[in-house]
Amino acid sequence: MLICPQCKFENPNANKFCQNCGTSLTHHDCHDCGTEVPLNAQSCDNCGAECGQVWWAIITKEGSGDWELGSWQDDQDDLPTLPLSTENTLPLTARPVMKAGSYIDKEQRYQLLEHLPISEENTSQTEICVRVLDCYPYQISPITAILENQNQGLFTSAGKEIGIPRLAKAYVQLQSKGQSEMPVIHDAWQEGNTQVVLIEDRSDWPMLTELWKEETTSSLQILHWFYQMTQLWSVLEPVKCRQSLLELSNLRLDEDQTLALARLYGEVEAEADAEAEDETLSLTEQPFSVKVLGEIWQELFRQSQRTQFGAVLQIFEDLKLGKIQTIAQLRSRLEAIATELETSPIPSFSPTANQHPTAPTIIQLEDAPGEDSAGKSDDLPTIVLSMQLSSLEDVGRTDVGRQRQHNEDYFGIDTKVEKLELPKNRIFQARGLYILCDGMGGHAGGEIASELAVNTVRQYFQELWTSDKHPTEENMREAVYLANQAIYQLNQQDARSGVGRMGTTLVILLIQDTEVAVAHVGDSRLYRLTRKRGLEQITVDHEVGQREIARGVEPSIAYARPDAYQLTQALGPRDESAIYPDVDFFDINEDSLLILASDGLSDNDLLETHWQTHLLPLLSSGANLERGVTELIDLANQKNGHDNITAILVRAKVRPNMESQK
């Protein structure tokens, strides 16, 4: 089946256009210049940008026999003439180099982007890695189908995988737990003695060793990477892939300088142990003790020619002597060093730190496998990292929809960014005000109310922010009441009554560095999207159905009422005594995409259904927010379209606040 990239409709493989929405299933637009490009093209003919779906193929052979891989049909002209009965069993020495453009699978879906040497000289080679182009990226892969159909239940109680090769087992297990530090697995299969695993291509991600050498990289940043390695150690141990941390070229950094892995490496010794049923070893009895982390850290210092600082030298020595034997002990020592390095309130690694205005990321350490859990919970450290904004981007768009004659939605964006960048210092401060209103009252009613509310709120915060004051709950409510009063007075002045009284919903998002304040009235919404938590609806609609649920009524009964979606609050029809805005505060402690949406966008669970395809990619710094919001509104027009559609997207990126620590 071909999965439409726009609406996710399942189409027969022969379809050239989606049966549901008409999207092309053979071409897509170049992300750089917009030129239409065939799906099986690696790059755009117009601008040269790579726009094809490329995967990293890990091809592993067991034993010393021939590689049993893919289709050799593209190389038939190069083969010697042999009887038909022996053509498919051509000896390895007679086979040509597998050319770029050949396929590594018999279905001819994955195409080599470079020559793959399969010759007599490398008969002893057991692994080859290469980039491949997915010529049918909209076609669901077999491993994805297995994941969906079996709901992650791929393994029996004996730990044997069903339908996928052994090599893919660790990727599947980690992916099911949402471990974004590991590359996503796309496909996997086995042909005889040869296993193929296709994963996300991270070959162009920067290596940890590159940034390690930079003068601007602080000691505290290095300490943070050490800590991340201890986290990954605990994650990789159950799947026996701790070797992945011991290959320096495998240690990569994502766009936010967070440690990630290019691929997984299995532990040969551990895999052999796993063959014996019910045979387990403790952490200290296994070949992979925590002291190897100290060895790889020392190698990082050696290769970068960077000076080791005293407290870390002592950790290396204690690891070597066996004085540190568990991950929990190692983390405790890292916490102690971080406290010593701390020369100002930012950042804090103290479990009790509660600093303002910087937002902390609290990381509760997991239990290290194989350790005695008795009495351990109180001893494990909790590291609190102060975060700072590294970027703040936003975009807003409104559309009349497919059925309305005029647009009663209105939005406003007001931001101020201060940036200072020096060779050894970088300061980024920002504040942003985002307002979205969905008016009611018809032409020259709802339009007026929504615009008046946006301008009233914007003016209020412009005056408030002149003193650099952080908005309080009282400020947020006052802004809402002022907007309500402005519309209410206009209704009174024009002697409007009943349904003729104009009004509007309102949602306010206010960002000041990493602090966020939210206020809302009505059913316009704020969502938050992060990689760790997925999509969350922050606001709760002010409507009859939600009111009944709050009173204890079952949701199915509450929304069976004919008036379930009727608003219980709106700005303008009545004075402020009838307005009870909800106000909330939270911190941005990880990269976040904040979405303000009118009901034309949020109706029918549109965002809840399509966030993984239309929102999650926008968390990446390289994703174009302008294009993202356009595609979002196009989707809303296809799925809803009965109302005006408005969206504001705000992408906030953060990083540990380590600039003052060198």
Side-chain angles (χ1 to χ4, degrees):
M1 301 296 290
L2 298 177
I3 309 300
C4 174
Q6 187 68 27
C7 68
K8 302 307 169 186
F9 185 80
E10 295 184 1
N11 297 269
N13 288 336
N15 277 27
K16 294 184 177 180
F17 298 94
C18 176
Q19 292 178 183
N20 183 56
C21 67
T23 298
S24 174
L25 300 177
T26 60
H27 292 72
H28 62 157
D29 292 339
C30 170
H31 54 74
D32 278 7
C33 68
T35 301
E36 191 175 65
V37 182
L39 293 180
N40 61 355
Q42 179 186 0
S43 57
C44 173
D45 289 336
N46 183 49
C47 68
E50 184 174 281
C51 51
Q53 177 61 68
V54 175
W55 301 103
W56 186 252
I58 304 171
I59 307 168
T60 305
K61 181 186 67 170
E62 295 179 347
S64 58
D66 292 355
W67 294 80
E68 299 181 42
L69 179 67
S71 168
W72 300 91
Q73 294 174 353
D74 286 350
D75 297 316
Q76 291 300 307
D77 293 341
D78 299 326
L79 299 180
T81 302
L82 292 172
L84 183 61
S85 61
T86 64
E87 186 171 348
N88 291 330
T89 58
L90 190 68
L92 180 65
T93 53
R95 292 180 177 177
V97 169
M98 206 169 185
K99 299 177 181 178
S102 300
Y103 299 91
I104 64 170
D105 61 317
K106 291 180 178 178
E107 292 75 23
Q108 299 195 358
R109 172 175 178 176
Y110 303 113
Q111 191 175 50
L112 286 170
L113 296 179
E114 58 191 78
H115 289 340
L116 185 65
I118 302 291
S119 62
E120 187 175 13
E121 287 73 21
N122 66 3
T123 53
S124 61
Q125 189 173 355
T126 59
E127 181 178 284
I128 298 174
C129 296
V130 66
R131 297 172 77 233
V132 298
L133 176 68
D134 190 346
C135 296
Y136 301 99
Y138 296 162
Q139 194 172 84
I140 190 169
S141 69
I143 197 169
T144 303
I146 292 173
L147 282 166
E148 292 181 353
N149 294 336
Q150 299 188 21
N151 193 26
Q152 314 297 344
L154 293 173
F155 309 107
T156 66
S157 58
K160 302 299 182 182
E161 61 275 17
I162 301 173
I164 62 171
R166 174 181 51 80
L167 189 63
K169 177 180 177 181
Y171 289 98
V172 174
Q173 287 182 324
L174 293 173
Q175 187 169 321
S176 68
K177 297 177 181 178
Q179 296 292 338
S180 60
E181 300 89 348
M182 319 298 170
V184 171
I185 186 171
H186 170 70
D187 205 348
W189 67 89
Q190 183 160 355
E191 295 180 24
N193 68 346
T194 303
Q195 298 181 23
V196 182
V197 174
L198 300 185
I199 61 173
E200 175 187 1
D201 179 18
R202 295 182 172 181
S203 58
D204 60 345
W205 286 30
M207 294 185 182
L208 175 62
T209 51
E210 295 174 4
L211 194 59
W212 197 282
K213 299 176 183 178
E214 298 291 334
E215 291 184 8
T216 54
T217 299
S218 68
S219 297
L220 200 51
Q221 175 68 74
I222 289 174
L223 206 65
H224 183 50
W225 287 328
F226 284 169
Y227 172 71
Q228 287 181 306
M229 287 189 205
T230 65
Q231 283 186 308
L232 290 177
W233 179 279
S234 296
V235 170
L236 293 168
E237 183 179 3
V239 295
K240 304 188 187 320
C241 287
R242 287 169 293 179
Q243 180 66 33
S244 309
L245 291 170
L246 308 183
E247 304 286 342
L248 288 185
S249 62
N250 195 47
L251 302 179
R252 304 293 175 120
L253 296 173
D254 67 13
E255 61 191 15
D256 304 307
Q257 298 183 0
T258 298
L259 189 67
L261 300 178
R263 56 165 294 186
L264 296 179
Y265 288 94
E267 302 164 20
V268 176
E269 298 89 350
E271 288 174 359
D273 292 335
E275 296 297 328
E277 292 186 6
D278 301 326
E279 183 178 346
T280 58
L281 298 174
S282 69
L283 181 64
T284 54
E285 292 173 327
Q286 289 179 0
F288 280 82
S289 66
V290 293
K291 73 177 183 180
V292 297
L293 280 179
E295 295 170 3
I296 199 67
W297 294 349
Q298 284 182 300
E299 183 61 26
L300 280 164
F301 277 109
R302 279 194 292 268
Q303 288 199 14
S304 65
Q305 298 183 343
R306 190 183 181 98
T307 304
Q308 301 175 22
F309 42 100
V312 168
L313 278 170
Q314 188 60 52
I315 280 189
F316 295 162
E317 184 66 20
D318 289 348
L319 281 167
K320 184 177 180 181
L321 295 175
K323 294 182 179 179
I324 301 175
Q325 295 189 354
T326 68
I327 285 295
Q329 292 171 342
L330 182 54
R331 287 167 173 164
S332 182
R333 291 287 294 275
L334 291 174
E335 181 196 31
I337 298 174
T339 302
E340 293 173 9
L341 287 176
E342 199 173 35
T343 59
S344 70
I346 301 174
S348 171
F349 279 65
S350 167
T352 58
N354 184 18
Q355 297 165 344
H356 187 85
T358 55
T361 294
I362 302 176
I363 310 171
Q364 181 62 50
L365 307 179
E366 305 93 340
D367 293 348
E371 294 184 36
D372 182 9
S373 60
K376 187 178 59 178
S377 58
D378 293 335
D379 298 330
L380 282 177
T382 300
I383 293 181
V384 179
L385 290 178
S386 171
M387 306 301 287
Q388 65 178 7
L389 275 180
S390 60
S391 68
L392 185 68
E393 302 170 84
D394 49 60
V395 63
R397 188 71 54 83
T398 187
D399 187 85
V400 69
R402 293 188 171 182
Q403 296 183 19
R404 298 294 180 88
Q405 299 300 313
H406 57 277
N407 195 344
E408 296 179 88
D409 287 1
Y410 201 79
F411 72 89
I413 296 176
D414 192 349
T415 61
K416 181 179 181 181
V417 175
E418 296 179 2
K419 180 179 178 182
L420 172 64
E421 192 154 0
L422 300 171
K424 294 188 177 182
N425 194 20
R426 182 179 185 272
I427 298 174
F428 183 91
Q429 295 179 322
R431 66 189 191 197
L433 174 64
Y434 307 93
I435 315 161
L436 186 149
C437 292
D438 180 357
M440 60 198 75
H443 185 58
E447 293 178 6
I448 294 174
S450 59
E451 183 175 356
L452 183 56
V454 168
N455 290 333
T456 302
V457 171
R458 188 171 60 86
Q459 182 178 352
Y460 172 79
F461 282 109
Q462 281 179 338
E463 296 172 357
L464 180 71
W465 264 339
T466 56
S467 61
D468 224 15
K469 177 183 176 182
H470 284 256
T472 64
E473 180 175 348
E474 182 181 352
N475 296 142
M476 300 299 289
R477 294 188 185 280
E478 186 176 0
V480 174
Y481 292 144
L482 286 173
N484 182 78
Q485 184 64 20
I487 303 169
Y488 178 74
Q489 286 181 345
L490 198 55
N491 276 324
Q492 295 294 92
Q493 175 183 319
D494 295 345
R496 294 174 180 255
S497 62
V499 294
R501 294 178 75 83
M502 60 184 175
T504 184
T505 66
L506 169 69
V507 58
I508 304 171
L509 169 68
L510 193 149
I511 298 175
Q512 189 151 353
D513 295 326
T514 54
E515 290 186 312
V516 176
V518 184
H520 92 287
V521 172
D523 62 356
S524 293
R525 295 178 178 176
L526 173 68
Y527 291 86
R528 174 176 59 192
L529 175 66
T530 62
R531 290 190 177 93
K532 292 180 181 178
R533 301 175 66 91
L535 184 70
E536 303 169 277
Q537 183 179 330
I538 302 299
T539 57
V540 178
D541 296 345
H542 294 145
E543 60 187 17
V544 171
Q546 288 295 329
R547 182 195 67 192
E548 295 304 298
I549 291 173
R551 292 174 175 174
V553 178
E554 289 292 328
S556 58
I557 298 175
Y559 276 94
R561 295 175 52 132
D563 61 348
Y565 294 97
Q566 181 178 320
L567 294 181
T568 56
Q569 290 191 61
L571 297 187
R574 292 178 286 181
D575 63 26
E576 69 177 50
S577 64
I579 301 299
Y580 307 96
D582 287 340
V583 178
D584 193 14
F585 294 86
F586 61 87
D587 295 322
I588 302 174
N589 49 36
E590 61 179 305
D591 292 346
S592 303
L593 183 70
L594 301 165
I595 307 103
L596 289 81
S598 66
D599 59 354
L601 178 63
S602 61
D603 276 353
N604 300 315
D605 293 331
L606 182 79
L607 297 181
E608 288 82 353
T609 303
H610 298 279
W611 68 270
Q612 290 180 301
T613 54
H614 284 73
L615 294 178
L616 188 59
L618 300 179
L619 273 173
S620 173
S621 298
N624 187 309
L625 283 184
E626 290 278 357
R627 182 172 299 170
V629 76
T630 298
E631 292 177 352
L632 200 60
I633 287 181
D634 288 345
L635 178 67
N637 267 318
Q638 293 172 14
K639 299 295 184 178
N640 293 331
H642 57 275
D643 200 353
N644 307 145
I645 305 164
T646 303
I648 298 176
L649 304 181
V650 184
R651 181 167 60 207
K653 310 284 283 187
V654 295
R655 61 178 179 177
N657 192 343
M658 299 177 175
E659 294 299 329
S660 61
Q661 310 298 325
K662 301 298 180 189

